[in-house]
Amino acid sequence: MARGPARNLLYLYLNNNNSSKFRFFSVSSRFLHTHFTEPKKIQDFHICGHPLPTPPRFSPLWFNQWKRFDLFNFYGHPFSTVVENEDNESELCNLDVEENECENGTLGSEKRLNFVQIASRDPVEIYKELRDASKGEKQARADWDVLIEIFRCFAKSGWASNQALAVYIGAAFFPTAAHKFRNFFFKKCKVDIAKYLVSLGPCIEAEKFLFPIFVEFCLEEFPDEIKNFRKMVESADLTKPHTWFPFARAMKRKIIYHCGPTNSGKTYNALQRFMEAKKGIYCSPLRLLAMEVFDKVNGLGVYCSLLTGQEKKHVPFSNHVACTVEMVSTDEMYDVAVIDEIQMMADSHRGYAWTRALLGLKADEIHVCGDPSVLDIVRKICSETGDELVEQHYERFKPLVVEAKTLLGDLKNVRSGDCVVAFSRREIFEVKLAIEKHTNHRCCVIYGALPPETRRQQATLFNDPNNEFDVLVASDAVGMGLNLNIRRIIFNTLSKYNGDKIVPVPSSQVKQIAGRAGRRGSRYPEGLTTTLQLEDLDYLIECLKKPFDEVHKVGLFPFYEQVELFAGQIPNSTFSELLDRFGENCRLDGSYFLCQYNHIKKIANMLEKVQGLSLEDRFNFCFAPVNIRDPKAMYHLLKFASSYAQELPVNIAMGMPKCSARNDSELLDLETRHQVLSMYMWLSNHFENDKFPYFKKAEAMATGIAELLGESLANARWKPESRNSGKQKGQEKDGGNERPRRRQETSLSHQQQLEKVAA
Ligand SMILES: Nc1ncnc2c1ncn2[C@@H]1O[C@H](COP(=O)(O)OP(=O)(O)OP(=O)(O)O)[C@@H](O)[C@H]1O
Ligand SMILES: [Mg+2]
């Protein structure tokens, strides 16, 4: 190969993966971070536009030792291209432009050479040259048009915007910076550089050429913006969450992972250790389960208090507490802690509470119970925290058998001890109505929007063989927490509304629900499961066969103090904006994700018009247990916050219904009233008591409404109203404040929102 004219330049061939052609390309030493086996040596020579300081040490033979060069940019991101080392040494250091295939084949060799020189120039020098130029050189009209397009693309480039983050040019500021850079460039532009860019056209290569010049420009022009953004990013740093709990880190904790499917005795065994301990805490996913453990443990003679978002029942002389996971204290010392349903760490909304409990609990022994999906990530966390991990694996007590016959589409085929699972409130009442109309069975119902007390009452009614209520109709709320004597789980459908569209129920959820059948201690020798329709059976079998999905990330959410620190960096923003900015800018390790906060934002937006709330007040109000899809409940929350902001004692401002529900809209009304009272109790526990002085009254009303709900369900023989008719009715009555009843209302995520609440 003939020698190129610029001997002191090194050009590398880049094999462009998109086309099979070799492209002529040059690389600046600043951008070349290769996996060389002799990294020291490679630092000794300069590439592109720089004379080689010690020519004897620069031997093309070095390059021959490596077949392949991966190129990374300044920030460690790989270029899409790969450098292939041709065996012939002269190919690397002495290129012949003429003889090489070049994508832009129409250009003359002189021009191409010129372009090569521009492309290979140090961007710092190019920037300085532009900056120091008194004015730009004249460009042809057609070239301007191309340049304008190139800069338009640059300003919109996701690639450039992402890269800019590494030098603390935030995504919000990037378009402004790109616009100013364009103005600067056009003012100072030189013909050769412009021509080179025009030859590239609006493409990623042009962006890659411009980007380092843009960086130099930004470093000089926007030092304050860069400094501020850097501070902001640093205050939204959620990396290394295990370091947030130095006291827990100072302890030598032993973590026991009780790992297995449903109904295998995980919680039972963990609770044995809990009860034996001098001082223990049980962390529950649901208020309902915390109440069950509270009753059970006290019943066995171990004094135990109860702590949920809504209730604080202190039992004198107790050293044990059953709480909802959000309420766990990371200040208290315990001998034994139990974190139940540990796989909920991966829950998109509430996962942070489990993560916090696992990382922060100050307990010598921590028992975590759950399926195997988070086992690997718990192993990883324990290796980071230095805790000892002991794994105990469990098998189901009773086999789970799939009934291939199904119900053949006919609810008349239900039997005593069956639980029919449906994924919307509407479906639940339709199924109940059909069963009670066409058979002699009576149905109990359980769904997420019912108060825990009512769900327990319905469970007790179903478990008791001495009454006529021998069938259960339930939503996925049945999947966790209740001890139910279920013979057979029948899936009414295996698809549900996810808030956006109808999707198949995830296999992990199918497993969890189906596993409810044949609980140890129940009178059935095995658990059975099947579907209503034959066509759903294959999917059921597929779900049960599938191994648990391995979770790769668990949830995190900032503490109030972290949000407050972040707020200091962007004054005058609303709480909702603050959350968004935090979400955009927070940094996380690979094992964590930021929990979803859309529901919090929705409350934050509603409370925006309430004057006089501090940031901390807003933060607390936003975590109140409210169904954001229920306008009546939202309205009450707004009223509570307004009274609180005016420093008035907050009234419940709601009457007590006189009798149980006679139709579906009265039932919905009872559900909403209970949720509002539950919210009041929660607020009373999370703010100073004197601000919410009617706690006792709210508690008494909530108990009364839970009873009314129980009575209503026992007598419920009405058709659920259609969404539309409900809406019209509501509009007549309350000016559109009717609660929209949507399919997902009974889904677990909804229930979880209500139970989050719990805390
Ligand atoms: N060793 C035991 N002796 C008596 N009863 C037991 C024993 N182990 C478990 N049980 C009972 O078996 C039932 C299921 O046990 P447990 O609730 O511990 O299962 P689990 O694996 O935690 O299930 P889930 O995944 O549903 O939470 C419970 O009613 C529990 O009281
Ligand atoms: Mg359990």
Side-chain angles (χ1 to χ4, degrees):
M1 224 174 250
R3 278 157 190 264
R7 295 280 175 83
N8 59 351
L9 298 185
L10 171 70
Y11 299 121
L12 301 179
Y13 274 128
L14 286 191
N15 180 3
N16 183 339
N17 290 336
N18 297 330
S19 74
S20 56
K21 291 178 178 179
F22 278 98
R23 281 212 62 220
F24 198 59
F25 202 87
S26 64
V27 188
S28 147
S29 58
R30 269 184 82 174
F31 296 116
L32 185 59
H33 299 264
T34 55
H35 296 303
F36 286 111
T37 47
E38 293 175 277
K40 270 199 180 144
K41 283 188 187 169
I42 197 75
Q43 280 167 16
D44 287 346
F45 60 81
H46 292 231
I47 305 167
C48 298
H50 297 270
L52 300 165
T54 48
R57 295 190 63 192
F58 169 64
S59 159
L61 286 172
W62 286 7
F63 287 93
N64 291 337
Q65 294 167 17
W66 301 294
K67 264 285 180 213
R68 183 190 145 126
F69 300 74
D70 290 324
L71 291 189
F72 295 82
N73 75 2
F74 192 38
Y75 309 104
H77 295 272
F79 280 103
S80 56
T81 42
V82 169
V83 185
E84 291 286 349
N85 189 351
E86 303 285 284
D87 281 341
N88 184 341
E89 66 183 60
S90 64
E91 279 180 285
L92 280 163
C93 56
N94 304 305
L95 299 179
D96 183 347
V97 180
E98 299 282 347
E99 285 178 23
N100 283 303
E101 269 194 284
C102 180
E103 274 186 352
N104 200 342
T106 55
L107 291 171
S109 61
E110 212 174 292
K111 267 187 183 169
R112 256 180 278 151
L113 190 62
N114 197 15
F115 291 166
V116 165
Q117 285 170 340
I118 291 165
S120 61
R121 283 189 56 194
D122 186 338
V124 182
E125 277 184 12
I126 296 182
Y127 169 68
K128 281 186 184 153
E129 194 177 296
L130 291 172
R131 184 194 61 192
D132 299 339
S134 54
K135 63 183 179 95
E137 293 169 358
K138 278 204 164 170
Q139 316 292 334
R141 178 76 241 168
D143 288 354
W144 273 123
D145 292 342
V146 181
L147 285 174
I148 287 169
E149 188 55 19
I150 289 172
F151 276 88
R152 198 185 64 77
C153 291
F154 184 79
K156 293 195 158 183
S157 162
W159 175 83
S161 175
N162 270 343
Q163 300 284 316
L165 290 173
V167 280
Y168 296 101
I169 301 289
F173 184 61
F174 177 79
T176 312
H179 181 74
K180 294 202 169 163
F181 176 57
R182 186 192 93 140
N183 291 350
F184 158 82
F185 194 93
F186 284 4
K187 232 190 225 167
K188 308 286 186 110
C189 186
K190 298 195 70 189
V191 170
D192 54 350
I193 297 171
K195 285 272 179 224
Y196 172 63
L197 274 170
V198 169
S199 78
L200 294 174
C203 64
I204 186 74
E205 251 100 59
E207 286 168 23
K208 285 181 178 173
F209 172 76
L210 283 175
F211 185 75
I213 308 170
F214 168 74
V215 168
E216 296 303 325
F217 170 76
C218 290
L219 291 175
E220 235 173 69
E221 288 297 311
F222 311 119
D224 291 343
E225 285 83 351
I226 289 174
K227 201 169 108 199
N228 291 343
F229 185 67
R230 187 185 184 128
K231 270 190 179 171
M232 187 168 81
V233 168
E234 279 166 5
S235 64
D237 188 353
L238 297 185
T239 55
K240 301 190 175 55
H242 59 278
T243 59
W244 302 349
F245 303 97
F247 289 105
R249 290 301 69 78
M251 294 176 74
K252 182 83 194 125
R253 306 186 311 171
K254 181 173 174 183
I255 315 283
I256 299 100
Y257 195 128
H258 299 266
C259 178
T262 50
N263 258 333
S264 54
K266 305 180 297 288
T267 307
Y268 179 93
N269 282 306
L271 283 179
Q272 292 306 108
R273 281 294 299 142
F274 166 75
M275 289 189 289
E276 284 162 19
K278 277 199 188 128
K279 188 170 177 188
I281 183 163
Y282 167 79
C283 310
S284 156
L286 307 170
R287 273 175 76 198
L288 184 66
L289 206 53
M291 288 176 190
E292 284 226 342
V293 168
F294 167 76
D295 286 345
K296 178 179 165 179
V297 170
N298 280 304
L300 291 170
V302 178
Y303 295 143
C304 179
S305 295
L306 176 69
L307 179 64
T308 73
Q310 285 79 349
E311 56 256 290
K312 289 180 186 167
K313 283 190 189 161
H314 179 69
V315 171
F317 312 112
S318 64
N319 282 324
H320 289 71
V321 60
C323 68
T324 39
V325 66
E326 280 89 351
M327 295 299 285
V328 66
S329 161
T330 54
D331 295 330
E332 282 280 310
M333 288 280 285
Y334 300 98
D335 296 315
V336 170
V338 178
I339 311 174
D340 212 351
E341 306 291 352
I342 189 70
Q343 73 278 358
M344 290 283 287
M345 284 175 104
D347 184 80
S348 59
H349 287 87
R350 296 176 62 206
Y352 69 91
W354 277 263
T355 308
R356 173 176 163 268
L358 180 62
L359 294 174
L361 259 168
K362 291 200 290 186
D364 297 324
E365 212 174 285
I366 301 179
H367 294 256
V368 298
C369 310
D371 69 37
S373 59
V374 291
L375 180 56
D376 259 0
I377 207 144
V378 169
R379 283 180 186 142
K380 187 163 179 267
I381 289 174
C382 286
S383 71
E384 282 165 2
T385 56
D387 296 320
E388 179 192 353
L389 178 66
V390 177
E391 295 170 22
Q392 284 183 15
H393 292 269
Y394 292 75
E395 294 297 331
R396 267 183 72 90
F397 289 127
K398 293 184 180 184
L400 181 64
V401 178
V402 177
E403 268 194 355
K405 201 172 148 207
T406 76
L407 258 58
L408 301 168
D410 193 347
L411 285 169
K412 279 189 199 134
N413 293 326
V414 294
R415 298 282 173 268
S416 185
D418 280 351
C419 169
V420 183
V421 176
F423 292 95
S424 78
R425 185 183 178 284
R426 182 181 172 72
E427 234 177 290
I428 287 171
F429 281 101
E430 278 169 357
V431 169
K432 174 177 157 72
L433 191 67
I435 293 174
E436 293 187 344
K437 193 168 169 193
H438 300 294
T439 71
N440 292 326
H441 300 289
R442 297 291 309 276
C443 302
C444 296
V445 293
I446 291 177
Y447 52 93
L450 290 176
E453 298 86 346
T454 314
R455 277 184 266 165
R456 268 181 102 181
Q457 179 261 343
Q458 292 285 298
T460 313
L461 200 64
F462 172 72
N463 285 342
D464 181 357
N466 304 317
N467 66 40
E468 51 185 342
F469 289 90
D470 60 346
V471 170
L472 180 64
V473 187
S475 74
D476 44 4
V478 83
M480 207 187 275
L482 286 160
N483 260 314
L484 292 159
N485 289 335
I486 299 172
R487 182 180 73 100
R488 180 171 63 166
I489 291 276
I490 300 154
F491 289 91
N492 196 49
T493 58
L494 275 168
S495 51
K496 68 173 185 176
Y497 185 67
N498 71 354
D500 182 27
K501 54 183 186 294
I502 306 281
V503 292
V505 181
S507 61
S508 57
Q509 214 178 337
V510 174
K511 266 184 209 281
Q512 173 116 10
I513 297 170
R516 298 279 117 197
R519 203 160 180 83
R520 177 173 172 154
S522 72
R523 54 188 178 278
Y524 307 111
E526 60 187 6
L528 300 174
T529 183
T530 191
T531 54
L532 173 67
Q533 309 291 348
L534 191 60
E535 60 260 30
D536 286 334
L537 189 71
D538 283 350
Y539 182 65
L540 173 64
I541 294 170
E542 191 188 311
C543 290
L544 296 179
K545 271 193 193 156
K546 238 181 168 180
F548 283 97
D549 290 335
E550 200 182 299
V551 162
H552 299 291
K553 286 179 189 231
V554 295
L556 273 188
F557 203 74
F559 302 136
Y560 169 68
E561 291 74 12
Q562 288 165 309
V563 173
E564 192 183 30
L565 184 73
F566 183 75
Q569 307 304 323
I570 39 172
N572 306 325
S573 33
T574 66
F575 185 47
S576 169
E577 284 165 1
L578 207 63
L579 288 169
D580 273 340
R581 296 290 293 279
F582 194 97
E584 285 158 19
N585 295 305
C586 77
R587 285 196 295 180
L588 293 149
D589 288 339
S591 309
Y592 299 93
F593 64 84
L594 184 68
C595 281
Q596 283 183 24
Y597 52 90
N598 285 349
H599 57 294
I600 299 175
K601 251 180 70 183
K602 188 145 185 213
I603 303 171
N605 284 332
M606 180 183 75
L607 297 185
E608 205 44 59
K609 49 182 174 264
V610 180
Q611 305 276 310
L613 291 176
S614 69
L615 184 67
E616 192 168 4
D617 291 337
R618 286 185 195 281
F619 190 83
N620 279 335
F621 271 109
C622 285
F623 278 87
V626 63
N627 177 2
I628 56 166
R629 293 184 212 100
D630 184 341
K632 279 187 190 163
M634 289 290 269
Y635 165 77
H636 280 278
L637 179 57
L638 180 63
K639 278 191 72 175
F640 292 158
S642 304
S643 300
Y644 175 87
Q646 291 166 44
E647 300 193 3
L648 298 170
V650 181
N651 272 311
I652 299 173
M654 198 177 70
M656 184 70 190
K658 295 204 170 39
C659 56
S660 59
R662 286 156 300 182
N663 54 44
D664 198 41
S665 57
E666 285 185 4
L667 186 68
L668 281 167
D669 184 58
L670 284 180
E671 287 170 17
T672 298
R673 279 171 197 266
H674 192 281
Q675 283 165 22
V676 171
L677 292 165
S678 171
M679 180 164 74
Y680 187 95
M681 286 155 64
W682 189 94
L683 291 168
S684 182
N685 281 335
H686 284 75
F687 288 88
E688 286 160 39
N689 276 352
D690 61 328
K691 299 282 165 52
F692 292 84
Y694 304 108
F695 179 85
K696 288 271 171 229
K697 186 179 166 196
E699 194 178 37
M701 283 172 75
T703 309
I705 291 181
E707 279 167 17
L708 288 179
L709 274 164
E711 282 172 32
S712 311
L713 294 175
N715 301 321
R717 290 214 179 80
W718 52 75
K719 253 191 158 173
E721 285 177 17
S722 82
R723 209 184 298 177
N724 285 344
S725 71
K727 196 173 174 189
Q728 278 156 13
K729 201 167 175 185
Q731 277 164 353
E732 281 160 27
K733 215 166 82 185
D734 291 334
N737 260 359
E738 175 65 341
R739 174 184 176 184
R741 281 167 296 126
R742 303 179 57 151
R743 288 176 68 89
Q744 75 271 33
E745 279 196 343
T746 55
S747 73
L748 195 61
S749 67
H750 166 66
Q751 180 211 342
Q752 285 162 358
Q753 274 187 27
L754 291 173
E755 292 278 358
K756 159 193 86 144
V757 184

